[in-house]
Amino acid sequence: MSCSATDLAVLLGPNATEAANYICGQLGDVNNKFIDAAFAIDNTYLLFSAYLVFSMQLGFAMLCAGSVRAKNTMNIMLTNVLDAAAGGLFYYLFGYAFAFGSPSNGFIGKHYFGLKDIPTASADYSNFLYQWAFAIAAAGITSGSIAERTQFVAYLIYSSFLTGFVYPVVSHWFWSVDGWASPFRTDGDLLFRTGAIDFAGSGVVHMVGGIAGLWGAFIEGPRLGRFDNGGRAIALRGHSASLVVLGTFLLWFGWYGFNPGSFNKILVTYETGTYNGQWSAVGRTAVTTTLAGCTAALTTLFGKRLLSGHWNVTDVCNGLLGGFAAITGGCSVVEPWAAIICGFVAALVLLGCNKLAEKLKYDDPLEAAQLHGGCGAWGLIFTALFAQEKYLNQIYGNRPGRPHGLFMGGGGKLLGAQLIQIIVITGWVSATMGTLFFILKKMKLLRISSEDEMAGMDMTRHGGFAYMYFDDDESHKAIQLRRVEPRSPSPSGANTTPTPV
């Protein structure tokens, strides 16, 4: 809103300057109130989304705890807590600056270390909190891949390095206004005239965490007993399907902050005076997220039934999360019907990656590398195939004739940008995290001893078990057998029924 006292005075007649100044002053005050309200609404929306994304840490903790054997429960729970704690400190000191410290170059940010000069017109404390929740989600993905055999100090080192440097550099490339492949670049020099589209992080978050976990698990090697001497896979099942389901629902709930919250603002109009605004796009994004996850869950349910003959709840939960990981990159720029295709293919990708991992004798207790890495990569390709031009223009700025989904008539340039994103994320994370895990192994800081692994890290590293339990392995079967001893023969020579000791 604007008001000119000079123009208004003419309309009011002679000697009306004072009245015109008063009216314009009142309109200016009203205008400022609207601006204040817009800032408050958008910041509240972003903070609420940050709280939802942070609640996913509880989901990760429950999912991880249920997916490991009971003798390692305290260990995996503690690592999830420390992902958030160490990640918070290092993202505050370095990570946010490397990711969003603008103005900077295309590779890495160089302002806002320790949140210096925050808040600004484009960066507030709410944005830091939201981005921190994303950073620790990537670290949480990695912890699942290397569960049940990793030294505690290795968790601290990799989590700090990932959240403080590796992940922020990737997010700078694709989400900062200065990033070399970002669709938000202000100079108009976009990769293939479009930039890489990764709205909420199929590549930036899920591929980064998944590939980091891939290298950690590969360098460590499989858990003891995961494969027999002939190379045949042996299931080391998690101890609690209940915790797995609880964690899955918590992650599902948090994903409504992860994907719709990535708009950062909600009070943005696309057509003034109509229902067509960012609030509608937020709702559409929540719908596409839901449909992709639901489709992936059902596809996994029937797929595993055909492959194994069982209705397995753990596999269905992983399939559901695979659908979410895949839709995350394009959730805001596709139609709901396309999300069903995304979820269906994501489930097949996960099943295929798990089969390949088994043949290669790769051991990931939570299927994190397959789920987040494989399905995240598919999500980027899916976006290149089904992204709608009108949605891209609404979110990333109006550019008539911009490249969009290949199957939507938008040509192959967006697909080229997405493939480049997959390649550079894989290369960067491999070069950094792969090297880190290799160094930790050479320094004997990565894997625990065989004795500690067999006994369980709760007892050997954390002072005791999380709760009383019996794992379904040979050692505890022997204990159960020893608890039953036969009585001495009766004088008549007949044996009595064994009684518990």
Side-chain angles (χ1 to χ4, degrees), residues 115-185:
L115 297 187
K116 183 180 180 181
D117 300 324
I118 297 287
T120 68
S122 59
D124 208 337
Y125 294 108
S126 56
N127 186 254
F128 163 79
L129 194 73
Y130 188 67
Q131 297 300 334
W132 160 70
F134 269 59
I136 60 176
I141 292 168
T142 306
S143 67
S145 295
I146 58 178
E148 297 203 285
R149 74 266 204 204
T150 305
Q151 291 192 47
F152 191 67
V153 66
Y155 281 111
L156 287 174
I157 294 172
Y158 98 76
S159 182
S160 302
F161 185 58
L162 182 66
T163 54
F165 179 65
V166 177
Y167 167 83
V169 170
V170 176
S171 57
H172 180 82
W173 293 349
F174 302 106
W175 287 347
S176 169
V177 295
D178 301 311
W180 63 269
S182 173
F184 298 105
R185 285 185 68 93

Side-chain angles (χ1 to χ4, degrees), residues 190-197 383-385 401-406 409-421:
L190 300 178
L191 180 66
F192 293 137
R193 294 182 49 240
T194 177
I197 304 300
T383 303
L385 301 178
R402 72 181 304 149
H404 51 284
L406 178 63
K413 289 186 175 180
L414 180 55
L415 178 59
Q418 301 298 87
L419 291 175
I420 287 177
Q421 182 178 2

Side-chain angles (χ1 to χ4, degrees), residues 373-458:
C375 295
W378 155 243
L380 295 178
I381 296 173
F382 161 78
T383 303
L385 301 178
F386 292 95
Q388 297 281 348
E389 182 181 12
K390 62 178 179 179
Y391 297 150
L392 289 170
N393 285 332
Q394 288 172 353
I395 297 166
Y396 298 103
N398 190 23
R399 297 176 183 274
R402 72 181 304 149
H404 51 284
L406 178 63
F407 293 167
M408 302 295 104
K413 289 186 175 180
L414 180 55
L415 178 59
Q418 301 298 87
L419 291 175
I420 287 177
Q421 182 178 2
I422 293 173
I423 293 170
V424 297
I425 289 178
T426 302
W428 169 252
V429 179
S430 298
T432 52
M433 296 302 296
T435 302
L436 175 65
F437 283 122
F438 180 77
I439 293 173
L440 290 174
K441 180 178 181 180
K442 288 299 182 181
M443 297 176 65
K444 301 186 184 303
L445 295 174
L446 185 58
R447 185 158 185 161
I448 61 175
S449 67
S450 299
E451 293 77 11
D452 286 356
E453 185 174 344
M454 290 298 293
M457 284 187 285
D458 286 2

